[in-house]
Amino acid sequence: MTESPAGPAGEGPLSGGVFVLTGTLARRTREEATAAIEAAGGKVTSSVSKKTTAVIAGDEAGSKLDKARTLMVQVWSEEDLEKALGESA
């Protein structure tokens, strides 16, 4: 039995992580970023909570970025996301 390149759902470098996208991403659309995170085993939600692993902040990030800082949730740049996905910047 062979495994698909993305692996079974729920497995990957972001497995078990919960991520929130905010602002405008420069290198990919929000849909592309969501697909990449999910393919790497992560989950994308629309609101920040203490359970959030990281907020990926693009240009003009607003209240979600502020809430992440208040809750002391990690804030990642798009480059940080690419590194976590194993992609080169």
Side-chain angles (χ1 to χ4, degrees):
M1 184 170 167
T2 60
E3 193 174 290
S4 66
E11 293 184 12
L14 301 181
S15 182
V18 178
F19 301 89
V20 175
L21 302 169
T22 187
T24 304
L25 302 177
R27 297 186 175 140
R28 59 180 91 206
T29 66
R30 210 172 268 253
E31 291 78 18
E32 291 168 341
T34 297
I37 291 167
E38 291 174 347
K43 178 180 176 184
V44 177
T45 64
S46 60
S47 61
V48 181
S49 74
K50 288 185 178 186
K51 294 181 180 182
T52 303
T53 304
V55 171
I56 294 89
D59 291 337
E60 300 180 25
S63 61
K64 290 178 186 177
L65 178 58
D66 296 336
K67 186 167 184 180
R69 289 178 175 151
T70 299
L71 296 175
M72 297 179 10
V73 170
Q74 290 185 44
V75 177
W76 289 4
S77 66
E78 195 169 0
E79 292 79 17
D80 294 327
L81 174 60
E82 290 173 351
K83 287 178 189 174
L85 291 169
E87 300 173 357
S88 57

